[in-house]
Amino acid sequence: MTTLVTHTFWMTNRRLKVLVKQPAFVLILLVQPAIWLFLFGNLFRRVVELPGFGAASYLDYLVPGVVVMTAVSSNMWAGMGMLEEIERGTMNRLLTTPVARSAIMNAAVVEQALSTSVQVVAIILLGLVAGAEYPGGVAGLTVLTVAAILLGTIFSALSNTVGMLARQRETIIGINTMLLLPLTFLSSAFMAETLMPEWMRTVAAANPVNWALDAARAAMSTDPEWETVLIRGGWLLAAAVGMLLLSTRTFRAYQKSV
């Protein structure tokens, strides 16, 4: 276990160095959420006037929505990095070293988790600047961050799995395009569930994006609903573990094929 942790640390360090050497990409990671926050915040700000919406400030309601949308969209591209390492032959060279095989996949997950955390903090601070309030305090914001990381883990593991199986950029792009907006809008990211059609509420109940939103908003409310946090958080954790196991099995299959 000590060896695995050590190898994961060094492999994560390697991936972070590559990320930092791409300042344009890092800038996009931080600027994109700001665009969504202020764009959707101004576009839908009068939605709270609809009877039954249940929130006094749309900005307060929107911050968790932008957080989860960012977690999904940024992590969905994780498979591109995996595919690039395969195409360049870097992955094959890593497989000839004594590094623990699980550490290679763990490093990808840790890198995405750290990237997601930075984006969440940026969105929270931007929300504060814009006038958002967080009645749940530090505990609520912590739950929001953890929920975003778990949600991101689900989609980064899925993206890595697709990258190793398909080994085509077009497939990853197609899946991302197909899933991002439907998953976001079939959730309570921008609209209260009470105002959704019945069939949308049914779909949202099985949508991991909505699980993250339910957990975050339950913790960030004035009177936190910790039972909801535990239930939805448990579902997210189970889905994340399941996707990680799938990506690990896929990686082992790739290893045997080279």
Side-chain angles (χ1 to χ4, degrees):
M1 182 59 69
T2 302
T3 301
L4 177 60
V5 171
T6 302
H7 288 188
T8 299
F9 172 81
W10 287 112
M11 291 299 296
T12 302
N13 185 54
R14 166 184 167 271
R15 294 182 69 93
L16 290 175
K17 285 182 178 178
V18 174
L19 181 63
V20 172
K21 289 180 180 179
Q22 304 176 65
F25 182 68
V26 174
L27 183 63
I28 290 172
L29 287 179
L30 297 177
V31 171
Q32 189 181 54
I35 294 174
W36 284 345
L37 186 64
F38 291 108
L39 178 65
F40 288 121
N42 283 281
L43 182 62
F44 298 122
R45 60 192 173 90
R46 298 193 64 180
V47 170
V48 293
E49 299 174 11
L50 293 174
F53 189 86
S57 167
Y58 188 69
L59 184 61
D60 293 355
Y61 183 86
L62 180 63
V63 168
V66 173
V67 165
V68 299
M69 186 177 183
T70 301
V72 173
S73 64
S74 60
N75 283 276
M76 273 184 164
W77 298 103
M80 285 293 199
M82 187 67 65
L83 185 58
E84 185 174 351
E85 295 212 349
I86 291 174
E87 290 178 345
R88 289 184 174 182
T90 307
M91 185 64 69
N92 291 349
R93 290 197 294 271
L94 286 175
L95 293 176
T96 64
T97 67
V99 66
R101 301 307 183 242
S102 298
I104 298 174
M105 296 303 297
N106 291 346
V109 173
V110 174
E111 180 208 1
Q112 291 297 130
L114 291 174
S115 176
T116 300
S117 299
V118 171
Q119 288 179 302
V120 172
V121 171
I123 295 168
I124 290 172
L125 293 176
L126 285 170
L128 281 173
V129 171
E133 297 180 358
Y134 308 121
V138 175
L141 295 177
T142 300
V143 171
L144 173 63
T145 304
V146 173
I149 291 173
L150 289 175
L151 185 65
T153 299
I154 293 171
F155 288 99
S156 65
L158 173 63
S159 185
N160 285 331
T161 299
V162 173
M164 286 183 288
L165 288 176
R167 302 187 193 178
Q168 292 182 340
R169 298 176 186 275
E170 293 78 8
T171 303
I172 297 175
I173 294 171
I175 290 177
N176 291 357
T177 304
M178 180 180 68
L179 291 180
L180 178 58
L181 290 182
L183 285 175
T184 301
F185 287 103
L186 290 173
S187 73
S188 60
F190 304 116
M191 180 61 65
E193 286 189 52
T194 54
L195 299 179
M196 292 181 183
E198 181 64 31
W199 71 269
M200 281 191 177
R201 290 199 295 270
T202 301
V203 174
N207 184 354
V209 174
N210 209 56
W211 302 346
L213 287 165
D214 286 347
R217 291 196 175 117
M220 294 174 68
S221 64
T222 305
D223 185 17
E225 300 174 12
W226 295 112
E227 183 179 356
T228 300
V229 173
L230 291 174
I231 293 173
R232 299 296 189 274
W235 293 354
L236 282 172
L237 179 60
V241 171
M243 285 308 306
L244 285 173
L245 291 175
L246 177 61
S247 65
T248 301
R249 288 181 64 87
T250 306
F251 180 71
R252 289 174 180 169
Y254 166 79
Q255 182 183 349
K256 291 178 181 178
S257 68
V258 297

